[in-house]
């Protein structure tokens, strides 16, 4: 007796198989029962004739609660009307565990209720689809970078100092000896490994203790950060373009069913192909000013500021592809950014803004190469010099132009899936008031 | 002018190329200089004739310090005597940054010194080789699981409760509201996602605040944990066997040069093929008793205890493959382990012990399915019931036999590379007294 996964039933048409899963739904009409089984790979409708099975099997299946554990033995039959194209004519079945009063029913539930039951909510069709897209995105990210010759160099989570400011850091007591902080970015460590391996990436969880509760923020999220030695802002833009396009292509190729479940407009993903429009910060500001003049933007944007969510949405709304805004004012960017040699007030950084209001999905740029410049920046930002000595070493020994970017996986998943809220993009989201389950 | 990576020089024999890297080593003989350049992908010897380059180029290269940033332009020439099979006849060169007094010299350095300079030490031949093996192992792990149909489901790092005891947990202040702990394992969450997806894995950093300073312990390490619904102890052993064998095969295939640098006895890795010997705990104890009688083990092992490092080494030393020891006493295993239905004092768990004294690389087994049993275990272990309610839900709604394992990546890297100490297996190790760089 072959044990078969539901997504492979097509290879077993006409054969007798065993499927092991959970009761997803069921209906009955006296002598006929149609239990739908899910096994994590798909859902299949089973057909049980009262006369075809032993009475105890019929009784066991009858009035069985949703999410009860069931295995069935039966023959695979092609049926055009069936969702996956196949049904199972049941010869025998076994109920391993009877579930009663499964909390998540087809009726509408409030978000808090669903979040409290996240461990069960994951079994629902929509959540299942989202996390399969996430799986594919992670896989696409790694494949792309590995094939391009990037070396995975995991950066530490427990760090002695902050990469950018200290107000949003989670603090950890390190053996009562000193304070450690949970990493917000592998950026600085990437610069060390890029000097050792040429092209590297880190890919792990990052943490921000932000007291904001928005649809775009998690306190724990995953980030991939490639970094290249001997590379410039242009190289980062070229890489970002190829990178995002390859992710969109993989999702379209491998997850058509899931995109259907999510009712995603796939034309939006098909549009993600190189080249992406590139906008100098000055031009982006001009677009915002025009928007203000036309009455489409409430306030007039002040040159020199960082873009807020409405600004990003307005700018990206003028294009059907991600937009790369570059040469931001240095004042709104991290201390380690390289300055524009022609206009010192600008940083050689780029933000990639996703269409459809998904905001910044990639942030990156060129890193400063000069020891003196960085020493000055540490002073200006009042960062503890001692904790950055190792980082300064990278400028003492073989400093070269280098550049890279970071992409938050959850923002990318939300965008690819077309989700309103980022909380559904990760199996167990962590937010300001949410540490459970 | 083509910019080329050193590991791709063979494709450019006879062509003029540009290589961008760092000075690895150099020697000179009056009119001839042999700077060796590394670029992260390899090392190439360059040949500079004083007469063939401009005087300022000769002067710039002369007396240049190790790890200075240099780009050279020249012709690729095949040379059998050269390490990579190719040399570059230099026509022009540019020094981007002169490094002076690079701290890591060819002379012997103490471990603490090297660890303090980990950000630079990574550039050394041996460390470089180890981390490339790590890259390949991570890639092999993901490819194996993805191809087998496992779905990546990231489990949270910030958790409200401990999976196994609380004495070795790092504590985090979560917005002053409550305490969070850094995850030691994704195990419990995996059980939830396995019920949703059938077969899943998590792969992320895990944390143990252990006050022990041994060559096997890190406070921050990466772990991969696959979990399968409708699976048993046997399924875990079958999976472990295929899993480790595929990793060893990939390392042998993709990293022959690195294994040479590490002087690894590759016959040890070639031996890692299925089937692995399977030893019941009782048999393992018998082997230890025999060892004691022969005078090869100092103390007589008491049935019921967990194996210490010398025990593991003694047992695994009798085989040239990893050994799978199963059916441990329940008392030494985690509370969530399924009991042997025939001998309640035993747990359906398995530890895979690597050869050559590398100890446990995999630990896993079957998880308890009964709600009542787990409720009782929580009471016995004095674990906060409230924090585990969601976990108990998994037994209320569709409880099925399920099983999985965890493998620490760093132990696996140490084993594959034949390293004495685990601190070299991760870019930036974290240990009891080591939080920097």
């Amino acid at each position: 007796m072959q044990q078969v996964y539901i997504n492979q039933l097509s290879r077993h048409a006409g054969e007798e198989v065993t499927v092991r899963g959970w009761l997803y739904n069921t209906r009955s009409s006296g002598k006929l029962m149609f239990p739908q089984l899910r096994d994590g790979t798909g859902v299949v409708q089973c057909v049980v004739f009262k006369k075809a099975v032993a009475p105890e099997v019929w009784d066991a299946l009858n009035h069985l609660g949703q999410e009860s554990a069931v295995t069935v033995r039966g023959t695979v039959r092609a049926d055009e009307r069936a969702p996956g194209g196949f049904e199972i004519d049941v010869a025998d079945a076994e109920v391993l565990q009877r579930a009663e009063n499964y909390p998540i029913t087809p009726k509408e539930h409030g978000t808090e209720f669903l979040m409290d039951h996240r461990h069960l909510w994951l079994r629902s069709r929509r959540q299942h689809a989202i996390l399969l897209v996430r799986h594919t995105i992670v896989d696409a990210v790694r494949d792309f970078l590995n094939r391009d010759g990037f070396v995975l160099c995991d950066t530490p989570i427990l760090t002695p100092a902050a990469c950018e400011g200290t107000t949003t850091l989670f603090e950890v007591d390190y053996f009562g000896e000193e304070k450690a902080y949970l990493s917000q970015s592998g950026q600085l460590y990437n610069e060390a490994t890029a000097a050792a391996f040429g092209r590297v990436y880190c890919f792990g969880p990052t943490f921000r203790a932000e007291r904001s509760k928005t649809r775009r923020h998690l306190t724990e999220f995953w980030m991939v950060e490639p970094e290249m030695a001997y590379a410039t802002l242009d190289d980062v833009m070229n890489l970002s373009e190829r990178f995002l396009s390859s992710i969109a292509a993989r999702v379209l190729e491998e997850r058509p069913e899931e995109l259907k479940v999510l009712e995603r407009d796939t034309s939006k993903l098909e549009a993600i192909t190189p080249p992406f429009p590139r906008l100098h910060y000055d031009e982006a500001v001009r677009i915002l000013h025009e928007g203000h003049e036309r009455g489409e933007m409430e306030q007039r944007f002040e040159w020199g500021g960082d873009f807020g969510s409405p600004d990003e949405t307005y700018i990206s709304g003028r294009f059907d592809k991600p937009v790369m805004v570059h040469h931001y004012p240095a004042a709104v960017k991290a201390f380690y950014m390289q300055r524009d040699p022609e206009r010192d007030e600008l940083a050689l950084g780029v933000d990639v803004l996703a269409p459809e209001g998904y905001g910044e999905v990639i942030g990156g740029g060129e890193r400063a190469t000069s020891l003196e410049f960085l020493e000055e920046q540490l002073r200006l930002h009042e960062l503890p010099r001692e904790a950055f000595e190792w980082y300064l070493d990278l400028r003492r020994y073989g400093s070269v132009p280098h550049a890279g970017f970071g992409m938050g996986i959850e923002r990318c998943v939300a965008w690819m899936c077309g989700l309103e809220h980022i909380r559904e993009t990760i199996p167990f989201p962590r937010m300001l008031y949410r540490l459970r389950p």
Side-chain angles (χ1 to χ4, degrees), chain A:
Chain A
M1 184 54 45
Q2 296 188 73
Q3 193 268 311
V4 165
Y5 288 104
I6 291 170
N7 65 354
Q8 291 173 1
L9 284 177
S10 64
R11 301 187 200 164
H12 299 277
E15 295 173 21
E16 194 172 72
V17 301
T18 295
V19 169
R20 308 189 289 188
W22 296 268
L23 189 68
Y24 192 64
N25 208 344
T26 192
R27 59 197 172 85
S28 160
S29 67
K31 293 171 180 177
L32 211 50
M33 219 186 306
F34 301 98
Q36 290 187 325
L37 231 61
R38 66 163 194 91
D39 73 349
T41 74
V43 176
V44 66
Q45 175 155 295
C46 302
V47 183
V48 189
F49 277 96
K50 192 169 184 177
K51 284 187 180 169
V53 296
E56 59 272 22
V57 169
W58 179 265
D59 289 344
L61 292 178
N62 215 357
H63 306 298
L64 193 59
Q66 191 188 344
E67 286 302 320
S68 291
V70 191
T71 67
V72 305
R73 180 167 63 78
T75 307
V76 181
R77 178 173 39 76
D79 188 322
E80 278 179 18
R81 297 160 304 175
F86 294 88
E87 290 189 341
I88 294 178
D89 291 324
V90 176
D92 196 6
E94 190 191 348
V95 175
L96 279 84
Q97 194 251 348
R98 299 187 77 89
E100 278 163 33
N101 304 316
Y102 184 66
I104 301 177
T105 55
K107 71 163 191 189
E108 285 278 314
H109 294 284
T111 302
E112 282 307 297
F113 179 85
L114 291 170
M115 292 290 277
D116 286 341
H117 292 84
R118 184 67 178 164
H119 53 294
L120 303 175
W121 190 25
L122 295 171
R123 303 179 187 183
S124 303
R125 208 175 170 78
R126 191 178 147 81
Q127 300 306 314
H128 195 266
I130 293 168
L131 293 180
L132 286 175
V133 172
R134 180 187 171 100
H135 169 97
T136 293
I137 288 173
V138 171
D139 206 25
V141 161
R142 294 192 175 265
D143 280 352
F144 177 92
L145 293 172
N146 291 347
R147 282 179 199 153
D148 240 44
F150 285 77
V151 176
L152 172 69
C153 285
D154 296 307
T155 51
I157 309 299
L158 293 167
T159 55
C163 174
E164 308 175 33
T166 54
T167 50
T168 57
L169 286 173
F170 284 111
E171 207 176 279
V172 183
D173 170 50
Y174 202 70
F175 296 108
E177 305 267 328
E178 59 180 320
K179 294 218 161 91
Y181 302 96
L182 299 185
S183 175
Q184 293 196 324
S185 158
Q187 166 54 32
L188 303 186
Y189 291 96
N190 268 349
E191 295 184 49
T193 56
F197 293 89
R199 282 175 301 170
V200 298
Y201 68 103
C202 64
F203 193 168
T206 49
F207 303 86
R208 270 182 216 199
E210 262 180 289
R211 286 201 160 273
S212 55
K213 223 188 147 199
T214 83
R215 62 190 182 84
R216 283 188 189 178
H217 286 92
L218 295 169
T219 56
E220 175 182 325
F221 56 101
W222 286 66
M223 188 143 72
V224 58
E225 297 174 83
E227 185 79 20
M228 306 172 281
Y230 283 102
T232 63
L233 175 60
D234 271 345
D235 293 320
V236 167
M237 291 200 274
N238 295 340
L239 184 71
S240 301
E241 206 167 63
R242 289 199 299 122
F243 181 75
L244 290 176
S245 303
S246 85
I247 292 171
R250 266 285 281 280
V251 170
L252 282 166
E253 186 193 322
E254 288 184 16
R255 298 296 170 196
E257 289 306 319
E258 287 73 18
L259 294 174
K260 228 176 270 171
V261 168
L262 298 168
E263 296 172 341
R264 182 63 170 130
D265 178 353
T266 51
S267 72
K268 303 283 189 196
L269 305 186
E270 281 154 12
I272 306 170
T273 53
F276 295 169
R278 300 179 184 201
L279 274 189
H280 192 287
Y281 175 84
D282 290 347
E283 292 173 70
V285 171
R286 209 171 305 135
I287 286 175
L288 291 176
H289 285 174
E290 284 166 16
H292 179 65
E293 281 152 28
R294 281 203 208 100
E296 292 164 5
M297 293 294 288
E298 213 168 303
Q299 287 205 301
R300 187 176 157 88
F301 184 85
E302 282 290 324
W303 190 100
D306 204 357
F307 299 133
S309 201
D311 306 316
E312 288 182 353
T313 303
Y314 187 78
I315 296 164
S316 64
R318 309 185 70 82
F319 305 90
D320 61 352
K321 290 185 184 193
V323 188
M324 306 201 277
V325 181
H326 53 83
H327 285 84
Y328 279 80
V332 302
K333 289 292 171 187
F335 76 89
Y336 51 72
M337 291 287 233
Q338 181 82 310
R339 296 296 174 84
D340 181 346
E342 274 149 41
R343 285 173 64 188
D344 190 60
E345 74 278 18
L346 299 181
L348 298 183
V350 59
D351 281 1
V352 184
L353 310 180
E356 303 172 80
Y358 283 100
E360 181 201 327
V361 283
I362 279 182
E366 239 176 283
R367 325 303 184 181
T369 52
S370 153
L371 178 62
E372 294 67 33
F373 174 82
L374 283 172
E375 287 175 326
E376 177 67 14
Q377 291 298 311
L378 292 178
R379 261 192 303 276
L380 288 172
H381 289 81
E382 293 174 2
L383 289 164
R385 161 94 185 218
E386 184 274 328
F388 289 91
E389 271 307 324
W390 69 268
Y391 183 66
L392 297 176
D393 270 358
L394 306 176
R395 274 67 186 183
R396 294 186 184 103
Y397 309 113
S399 185
V400 302
H402 59 293
F405 68 73
M407 180 183 82
I409 291 300
E410 288 73 17
R411 289 243 180 124
C412 182
V413 174
W415 171 31
M416 294 289 153
C417 292
L419 306 180
E420 268 184 40
H421 202 296
I422 203 163
R423 68 185 156 226
E424 297 180 30
T425 61
I426 187 166
F428 298 95
R430 295 294 180 250
M431 294 177 293
L432 179 51
Y433 299 114
R434 168 70 58 192
L435 189 58
R436 294 156 202 266

